[in-house]
Amino acid sequence: MSADAVSGGPSPGFGRLLAALVASQVGLHAAMTGLRMAAPLDALARGATPWRVGVLLALFAAAPVLLAMTAGRLADRWGFHRPVHIAGGLCCAGLLLAAVSAAFQGWPAGALLAAGAVAAGAGANIGLIAVQRTGGLTARDPVERVRVFSWLGIAPSLANVIGPVTVGLLIDAAGFGVAYAALLVLPLASLLAARAVPVAAAPGRARDGGSAPLGELFALPGMKRLLAVNWLLSMCWDVHSFAVPILGHERGFSATTIGLVLGSFTLSVTGVRVLIPLLARHLQPARVVAGAMLGTALIFAVYPLVTQPWLMGACAVALGVTLGCVQPMLMTVLHHLTPEDRHGQALAFRSMTINGSSTVMPLLFGAAGAAIGAASMFWIVGALVGSGAWLARRLRA
Protein backbone atom coordinates (compact mmCIF):
# COMPACT_ATOMS: atom_id res chain seq x y z
CA MET A 1 0.00 0.00 0.00
CA SER A 2 1.36 3.42 -0.91
CA ALA A 3 2.25 6.12 1.56
CA ASP A 4 0.95 8.57 -1.04
CA ALA A 5 -2.49 7.08 -0.85
CA VAL A 6 -2.81 5.84 2.67
CA SER A 7 -5.42 7.51 4.83
CA GLY A 8 -6.93 4.68 6.80
CA GLY A 9 -3.88 3.31 8.59
CA PRO A 10 -0.14 2.79 8.45
CA SER A 11 1.62 -0.12 6.79
CA PRO A 12 3.53 -2.72 8.81
CA GLY A 13 6.77 -0.85 7.98
CA PHE A 14 5.47 2.36 9.52
CA GLY A 15 8.62 3.01 11.59
CA ARG A 16 10.88 2.57 8.58
CA LEU A 17 8.65 4.81 6.50
CA LEU A 18 8.69 7.54 9.14
CA ALA A 19 12.49 7.32 9.43
CA ALA A 20 12.76 7.66 5.64
CA LEU A 21 10.55 10.76 5.65
CA VAL A 22 12.59 12.37 8.43
CA ALA A 23 15.88 11.54 6.67
CA SER A 24 14.56 12.92 3.37
CA GLN A 25 13.65 16.21 5.01
CA VAL A 26 16.87 16.46 7.04
CA GLY A 27 19.12 16.15 4.00
CA LEU A 28 17.27 18.74 1.92
CA HIS A 29 16.89 21.20 4.79
CA ALA A 30 20.51 20.79 5.94
CA ALA A 31 21.77 21.50 2.43
CA MET A 32 19.76 24.73 2.37
CA THR A 33 20.77 25.85 5.88
CA GLY A 34 24.42 25.07 5.18
CA LEU A 35 24.31 27.21 2.05
CA ARG A 36 22.33 29.91 3.89
CA MET A 37 25.10 30.18 6.47
CA ALA A 38 28.02 30.01 4.04
CA ALA A 39 26.79 32.29 1.25
CA PRO A 40 26.65 35.50 3.36
CA LEU A 41 30.13 34.79 4.74
CA ASP A 42 31.38 34.21 1.21
CA ALA A 43 29.77 37.43 -0.01
CA LEU A 44 31.24 39.45 2.88
CA ALA A 45 34.69 37.99 2.20
CA ARG A 46 34.34 39.25 -1.38
CA GLY A 47 33.54 42.76 -0.14
CA ALA A 48 29.75 42.77 -0.45
CA THR A 49 27.83 45.45 1.44
CA PRO A 50 25.48 44.49 4.30
CA TRP A 51 22.54 45.46 2.08
CA ARG A 52 23.58 42.94 -0.58
CA VAL A 53 24.02 40.30 2.07
CA GLY A 54 20.51 41.03 3.32
CA VAL A 55 19.12 40.63 -0.18
CA LEU A 56 20.98 37.35 -0.55
CA LEU A 57 19.46 36.01 2.67
CA ALA A 58 15.99 37.21 1.66
CA LEU A 59 16.20 35.11 -1.52
CA PHE A 60 16.21 31.89 0.53
CA ALA A 61 12.77 32.82 1.94
CA ALA A 62 11.42 34.57 -1.17
CA ALA A 63 11.50 31.40 -3.28
CA PRO A 64 9.28 29.40 -0.86
CA VAL A 65 6.78 32.27 -0.73
CA LEU A 66 6.53 32.60 -4.50
CA LEU A 67 6.56 28.88 -5.30
CA ALA A 68 4.63 27.48 -2.32
CA MET A 69 1.31 26.93 -4.10
CA THR A 70 3.07 25.38 -7.08
CA ALA A 71 4.79 22.99 -4.67
CA GLY A 72 1.47 22.16 -3.02
CA ARG A 73 -0.26 21.42 -6.31
CA LEU A 74 2.72 19.33 -7.38
CA ALA A 75 2.41 17.22 -4.21
CA ASP A 76 -1.36 16.83 -4.61
CA ARG A 77 -0.96 15.76 -8.23
CA TRP A 78 2.04 13.45 -8.00
CA GLY A 79 2.33 12.40 -4.36
CA PHE A 80 5.78 12.02 -2.81
CA HIS A 81 8.51 10.87 -5.16
CA ARG A 82 8.37 13.26 -8.09
CA PRO A 83 8.30 16.41 -5.90
CA VAL A 84 11.18 15.08 -3.77
CA HIS A 85 13.22 14.31 -6.90
CA ILE A 86 12.60 17.85 -8.12
CA ALA A 87 13.51 19.18 -4.66
CA GLY A 88 16.75 17.20 -4.61
CA GLY A 89 17.62 18.39 -8.10
CA LEU A 90 17.04 22.03 -7.14
CA CYS A 91 19.16 21.74 -4.00
CA CYS A 92 21.95 20.09 -5.97
CA ALA A 93 21.72 22.81 -8.62
CA GLY A 94 21.89 25.50 -5.94
CA LEU A 95 25.02 23.99 -4.40
CA LEU A 96 26.66 23.53 -7.83
CA LEU A 97 25.98 27.17 -8.71
CA ALA A 98 27.53 28.24 -5.43
CA ALA A 99 30.57 25.99 -6.01
CA VAL A 100 31.07 27.44 -9.50
CA SER A 101 30.89 30.97 -8.04
CA ALA A 102 34.23 30.31 -6.32
CA ALA A 103 35.90 30.53 -9.73
CA PHE A 104 34.56 34.06 -10.39
CA GLN A 105 34.85 37.53 -8.92
CA GLY A 106 32.58 40.56 -8.85
CA TRP A 107 28.98 40.50 -10.02
CA PRO A 108 29.16 37.05 -11.74
CA ALA A 109 30.01 35.46 -8.39
CA GLY A 110 27.20 37.38 -6.70
CA ALA A 111 24.70 36.38 -9.38
CA LEU A 112 25.66 32.71 -9.07
CA LEU A 113 25.29 32.81 -5.28
CA ALA A 114 21.90 34.51 -5.64
CA ALA A 115 20.71 31.89 -8.13
CA GLY A 116 21.96 29.17 -5.80
CA ALA A 117 20.01 30.70 -2.91
CA VAL A 118 16.79 30.72 -4.93
CA ALA A 119 17.24 27.12 -6.10
CA ALA A 120 18.14 25.76 -2.65
CA GLY A 121 15.32 27.67 -0.92
CA ALA A 122 12.78 26.41 -3.45
CA GLY A 123 14.07 22.84 -3.28
CA ALA A 124 13.95 22.64 0.51
CA ASN A 125 10.38 23.95 0.59
CA ILE A 126 9.10 21.63 -2.16
CA GLY A 127 10.58 18.69 -0.30
CA LEU A 128 9.13 19.86 3.02
CA ILE A 129 5.58 20.05 1.64
CA ALA A 130 5.84 16.61 0.01
CA VAL A 131 7.18 15.04 3.22
CA GLN A 132 4.55 16.65 5.45
CA ARG A 133 1.70 15.72 3.13
CA THR A 134 2.82 12.09 2.96
CA GLY A 135 3.33 11.87 6.71
CA GLY A 136 -0.11 13.28 7.42
CA LEU A 137 -1.86 10.89 5.03
CA THR A 138 0.04 7.90 6.40
CA ALA A 139 -1.37 8.31 9.92
CA ARG A 140 -4.61 6.46 10.61
CA ASP A 141 -6.12 8.87 13.17
CA PRO A 142 -5.48 12.28 14.81
CA VAL A 143 -3.50 10.76 17.67
CA GLU A 144 -1.11 9.03 15.31
CA ARG A 145 -0.95 12.17 13.17
CA VAL A 146 0.24 14.16 16.20
CA ARG A 147 3.00 11.58 16.66
CA VAL A 148 4.01 11.74 13.01
CA PHE A 149 4.20 15.52 12.94
CA SER A 150 6.16 15.55 16.21
CA TRP A 151 8.84 13.35 14.68
CA LEU A 152 8.82 15.32 11.43
CA GLY A 153 9.15 18.50 13.51
CA ILE A 154 12.51 17.26 14.81
CA ALA A 155 13.97 17.19 11.28
CA PRO A 156 14.53 20.98 10.97
CA SER A 157 16.29 21.05 14.35
CA LEU A 158 18.68 18.31 13.24
CA ALA A 159 19.19 20.02 9.89
CA ASN A 160 19.94 23.35 11.54
CA VAL A 161 22.83 21.67 13.33
CA ILE A 162 24.11 19.38 10.56
CA GLY A 163 24.17 21.94 7.73
CA PRO A 164 25.85 24.95 9.39
CA VAL A 165 28.32 22.89 11.47
CA THR A 166 29.37 20.80 8.46
CA VAL A 167 29.85 23.74 6.15
CA GLY A 168 31.69 25.74 8.83
CA LEU A 169 34.23 22.97 9.32
CA LEU A 170 34.66 22.54 5.57
CA ILE A 171 35.15 26.27 4.95
CA ASP A 172 37.92 26.45 7.56
CA ALA A 173 39.56 23.30 6.20
CA ALA A 174 39.31 23.74 2.43
CA GLY A 175 37.54 26.97 1.45
CA PHE A 176 34.10 27.91 0.19
CA GLY A 177 34.19 26.12 -3.17
CA VAL A 178 35.04 22.74 -1.67
CA ALA A 179 32.49 23.27 1.12
CA TYR A 180 29.68 23.93 -1.35
CA ALA A 181 30.61 20.88 -3.42
CA ALA A 182 30.87 18.63 -0.37
CA LEU A 183 27.37 19.63 0.76
CA LEU A 184 26.02 17.87 -2.33
CA VAL A 185 26.11 14.64 -0.34
CA LEU A 186 23.14 15.90 1.74
CA PRO A 187 20.46 16.16 -0.98
CA LEU A 188 21.81 12.98 -2.58
CA ALA A 189 21.37 11.23 0.78
CA SER A 190 17.77 12.53 0.85
CA LEU A 191 17.07 11.00 -2.54
CA LEU A 192 18.54 7.72 -1.34
CA ALA A 193 16.39 7.76 1.82
CA ALA A 194 13.29 8.57 -0.26
CA ARG A 195 13.60 5.20 -1.98
CA ALA A 196 12.33 3.58 1.25
CA VAL A 197 8.99 5.37 0.84
CA PRO A 198 6.54 3.16 -1.14
CA VAL A 199 5.72 4.41 -4.63
CA ALA A 200 2.10 5.19 -5.48
CA ALA A 201 0.40 2.75 -7.84
CA ALA A 202 -0.41 5.63 -10.17
CA PRO A 203 0.13 9.40 -10.08
CA GLY A 204 -2.79 11.54 -9.04
CA ARG A 205 -3.75 12.78 -12.51
CA ALA A 206 -7.41 12.21 -11.84
CA ARG A 207 -7.48 14.64 -8.97
CA ASP A 208 -8.96 18.01 -9.77
CA GLY A 209 -8.20 19.77 -6.48
CA GLY A 210 -5.18 21.48 -8.03
CA SER A 211 -7.36 23.50 -10.39
CA ALA A 212 -9.79 24.69 -7.71
CA PRO A 213 -9.55 28.37 -6.73
CA LEU A 214 -7.35 29.20 -3.76
CA GLY A 215 -10.24 31.14 -2.23
CA GLU A 216 -12.15 27.87 -1.75
CA LEU A 217 -9.32 26.56 0.39
CA PHE A 218 -9.26 29.74 2.46
CA ALA A 219 -13.05 29.54 2.89
CA LEU A 220 -13.01 26.05 4.43
CA PRO A 221 -14.62 26.07 7.92
CA GLY A 222 -11.97 26.82 10.52
CA MET A 223 -9.18 27.60 8.02
CA LYS A 224 -9.06 31.37 8.72
CA ARG A 225 -8.97 30.67 12.45
CA LEU A 226 -6.16 28.16 12.06
CA LEU A 227 -4.07 30.48 9.89
CA ALA A 228 -4.57 33.36 12.33
CA VAL A 229 -3.38 31.21 15.24
CA ASN A 230 -0.47 29.95 13.15
CA TRP A 231 0.57 33.51 12.25
CA LEU A 232 0.46 34.69 15.88
CA LEU A 233 2.67 31.80 17.00
CA SER A 234 5.02 32.25 14.04
CA MET A 235 5.42 35.90 15.03
CA CYS A 236 6.54 34.74 18.48
CA TRP A 237 9.40 32.74 16.94
CA ASP A 238 10.42 35.78 14.88
CA VAL A 239 10.38 38.26 17.75
CA HIS A 240 12.34 35.90 20.01
CA SER A 241 15.14 35.35 17.49
CA PHE A 242 15.20 39.09 16.74
CA ALA A 243 14.92 40.59 20.24
CA VAL A 244 17.05 38.25 22.36
CA PRO A 245 20.35 39.38 20.77
CA ILE A 246 19.29 43.00 21.33
CA LEU A 247 18.38 42.37 24.98
CA GLY A 248 21.61 40.45 25.50
CA HIS A 249 23.66 43.25 23.99
CA GLU A 250 21.90 45.83 26.19
CA ARG A 251 22.80 43.74 29.26
CA GLY A 252 26.43 43.37 28.18
CA PHE A 253 26.29 39.62 27.52
CA SER A 254 28.95 38.06 25.32
CA ALA A 255 28.11 36.59 21.93
CA THR A 256 28.70 33.13 23.38
CA THR A 257 26.17 33.76 26.15
CA ILE A 258 23.56 35.03 23.71
CA GLY A 259 24.18 32.00 21.51
CA LEU A 260 23.71 29.67 24.49
CA VAL A 261 20.38 31.34 25.31
CA LEU A 262 19.15 30.86 21.74
CA GLY A 263 20.57 27.34 21.65
CA SER A 264 18.74 26.37 24.83
CA PHE A 265 15.50 27.39 23.11
CA THR A 266 16.24 25.09 20.15
CA LEU A 267 17.14 22.19 22.42
CA SER A 268 13.91 22.68 24.36
CA VAL A 269 11.85 22.66 21.15
CA THR A 270 13.52 19.41 20.10
CA GLY A 271 13.04 17.84 23.52
CA VAL A 272 9.32 18.55 23.71
CA ARG A 273 8.79 17.14 20.22
CA VAL A 274 10.49 13.92 21.31
CA LEU A 275 8.12 13.72 24.29
CA ILE A 276 4.88 14.46 22.44
CA PRO A 277 4.63 11.03 20.72
CA LEU A 278 4.65 9.41 24.17
CA LEU A 279 1.81 11.65 25.38
CA ALA A 280 -0.16 12.04 22.15
CA ARG A 281 -3.11 9.90 23.26
CA HIS A 282 -3.77 12.24 26.17
CA LEU A 283 -3.45 15.53 24.28
CA GLN A 284 -6.27 17.53 22.72
CA PRO A 285 -4.91 19.90 20.04
CA ALA A 286 -7.24 22.82 20.81
CA ARG A 287 -6.45 22.79 24.52
CA VAL A 288 -2.71 22.34 23.97
CA VAL A 289 -2.51 25.26 21.52
CA ALA A 290 -4.65 27.55 23.69
CA GLY A 291 -2.55 26.71 26.75
CA ALA A 292 0.66 27.23 24.77
CA MET A 293 -0.49 30.68 23.66
CA LEU A 294 -1.32 31.74 27.22
CA GLY A 295 1.99 30.30 28.44
CA THR A 296 3.89 32.15 25.72
CA ALA A 297 2.18 35.40 26.67
CA LEU A 298 3.23 34.91 30.30
CA ILE A 299 6.84 34.14 29.36
CA PHE A 300 6.99 37.18 27.08
CA ALA A 301 5.75 39.34 29.96
CA VAL A 302 8.62 38.16 32.18
CA TYR A 303 11.43 37.77 29.59
CA PRO A 304 12.45 41.47 29.31
CA LEU A 305 12.51 41.85 33.11
CA VAL A 306 15.21 39.24 33.81
CA THR A 307 18.80 40.44 33.84
CA GLN A 308 20.82 37.30 34.59
CA PRO A 309 21.95 35.01 31.75
CA TRP A 310 20.70 31.86 33.52
CA LEU A 311 17.26 33.40 33.96
CA MET A 312 17.11 34.33 30.28
CA GLY A 313 18.13 30.75 29.52
CA ALA A 314 15.32 29.47 31.74
CA CYS A 315 12.84 31.69 29.89
CA ALA A 316 14.17 30.36 26.59
CA VAL A 317 13.70 26.76 27.74
CA ALA A 318 10.14 27.49 28.91
CA LEU A 319 9.38 29.22 25.61
CA GLY A 320 10.76 26.22 23.72
CA VAL A 321 8.22 24.03 25.51
CA THR A 322 5.22 26.26 24.70
CA LEU A 323 6.15 26.99 21.08
CA GLY A 324 7.60 23.56 20.36
CA CYS A 325 4.40 21.69 21.19
CA VAL A 326 2.07 23.63 18.89
CA GLN A 327 3.32 22.66 15.42
CA PRO A 328 2.24 18.99 15.61
CA MET A 329 -1.16 20.10 16.91
CA LEU A 330 -1.74 22.72 14.22
CA MET A 331 -0.64 20.33 11.48
CA THR A 332 -3.09 17.72 12.78
CA VAL A 333 -5.95 20.25 12.68
CA LEU A 334 -4.89 21.40 9.21
CA HIS A 335 -5.14 17.86 7.84
CA HIS A 336 -8.51 17.41 9.52
CA LEU A 337 -9.90 20.57 7.93
CA THR A 338 -8.62 19.95 4.41
CA PRO A 339 -9.93 17.54 1.72
CA GLU A 340 -7.39 14.82 0.99
CA ASP A 341 -6.81 15.95 -2.59
CA ARG A 342 -5.82 19.43 -1.38
CA HIS A 343 -3.53 18.62 1.55
CA GLY A 344 -0.48 19.74 -0.41
CA GLN A 345 -2.03 23.12 -1.18
CA ALA A 346 -3.09 23.62 2.44
CA LEU A 347 0.46 22.91 3.60
CA ALA A 348 1.75 25.28 0.93
CA PHE A 349 -0.67 27.97 2.09
CA ARG A 350 0.63 27.60 5.64
CA SER A 351 4.25 27.63 4.43
CA MET A 352 3.60 30.77 2.40
CA THR A 353 2.22 32.66 5.41
CA ILE A 354 5.10 31.58 7.65
CA ASN A 355 7.83 32.48 5.16
CA GLY A 356 6.08 35.73 4.29
CA SER A 357 5.90 36.62 7.98
CA SER A 358 9.56 35.71 8.48
CA THR A 359 10.48 38.04 5.62
CA VAL A 360 8.34 41.02 6.61
CA MET A 361 8.19 40.89 10.41
CA PRO A 362 11.93 41.40 11.06
CA LEU A 363 11.70 44.63 9.05
CA LEU A 364 8.78 45.77 11.23
CA PHE A 365 10.56 44.64 14.38
CA GLY A 366 13.62 46.62 13.34
CA ALA A 367 11.58 49.79 12.97
CA ALA A 368 9.64 49.12 16.18
CA GLY A 369 12.78 48.24 18.13
CA ALA A 370 14.36 51.55 17.27
CA ALA A 371 11.20 53.40 18.34
CA ILE A 372 10.00 51.55 21.45
CA GLY A 373 12.77 49.11 22.43
CA ALA A 374 13.11 45.32 22.46
CA ALA A 375 11.26 44.90 25.76
CA SER A 376 8.14 46.60 24.42
CA MET A 377 8.14 44.26 21.41
CA PHE A 378 8.00 41.27 23.76
CA TRP A 379 5.08 42.77 25.66
CA ILE A 380 3.11 43.79 22.56
CA VAL A 381 3.51 40.43 20.83
CA GLY A 382 2.80 38.63 24.11
CA ALA A 383 -0.45 40.57 24.49
CA LEU A 384 -1.44 39.68 20.94
CA VAL A 385 -0.75 35.98 21.27
CA GLY A 386 -2.42 35.82 24.69
CA SER A 387 -5.56 37.52 23.42
CA GLY A 388 -5.62 35.12 20.47
CA ALA A 389 -5.91 32.06 22.73
CA TRP A 390 -9.71 32.18 22.42
CA LEU A 391 -9.31 31.40 18.71
CA ALA A 392 -7.29 28.29 19.54
CA ARG A 393 -9.98 26.96 21.89
CA ARG A 394 -12.33 26.70 18.90
CA LEU A 395 -9.92 24.59 16.82
CA ARG A 396 -11.13 21.04 16.30
CA ALA A 397 -9.26 17.95 15.11
Side-chain angles (χ1 to χ4, degrees), residues 178 252 315 362:
V178 173
C315 287

Side-chain angles (χ1 to χ4, degrees), residues 239-273:
V239 76
H240 183 255
S241 61
F242 180 87
V244 165
I246 297 175
L247 285 177
H249 177 73
E250 291 175 353
R251 287 156 173 69
F253 298 163
S254 67
T256 300
T257 299
I258 295 171
L260 287 172
V261 171
L262 293 172
S264 63
F265 169 76
T266 301
L267 287 175
S268 179
V269 170
T270 304
V272 76
R273 288 181 180 171

Side-chain angles (χ1 to χ4, degrees), residues 93-281:
L95 292 169
L96 286 172
L97 288 168
V100 171
S101 74
F104 293 87
Q105 296 294 329
W107 70 264
L112 287 168
L113 281 176
V118 171
N125 197 57
I126 290 171
L128 170 67
I129 290 170
V131 167
Q132 289 180 336
R133 176 187 176 277
T134 301
L137 292 177
T138 299
R140 63 188 173 190
D141 55 43
V143 171
E144 193 159 71
R145 195 165 289 129
V146 168
R147 294 192 179 110
V148 168
F149 285 126
S150 296
W151 287 115
L152 292 181
I154 296 171
S157 299
L158 293 175
N160 286 333
V161 174
I162 294 171
V165 170
T166 300
V167 79
L169 293 172
L170 291 170
I171 290 169
D172 289 339
F176 286 99
V178 173
Y180 294 140
L183 284 179
L184 283 166
V185 72
L186 294 172
L188 294 177
S190 286
L191 295 177
L192 182 62
R195 297 178 64 183
V197 178
V199 179
R205 296 187 182 185
R207 298 169 183 163
D208 59 2
S211 61
L214 184 60
E216 290 183 8
L217 187 64
F218 190 65
L220 290 172
M223 183 63 72
K224 297 185 186 71
R225 188 180 305 121
L226 175 67
L227 292 175
V229 169
N230 196 90
W231 175 73
L232 286 170
L233 290 163
S234 177
M235 185 166 53
C236 293
W237 288 73
D238 293 332
V239 76
H240 183 255
S241 61
F242 180 87
V244 165
I246 297 175
L247 285 177
H249 177 73
E250 291 175 353
R251 287 156 173 69
F253 298 163
S254 67
T256 300
T257 299
I258 295 171
L260 287 172
V261 171
L262 293 172
S264 63
F265 169 76
T266 301
L267 287 175
S268 179
V269 170
T270 304
V272 76
R273 288 181 180 171
V274 171
L275 276 176
I276 284 175
L278 304 177
L279 306 173
R281 189 170 298 279

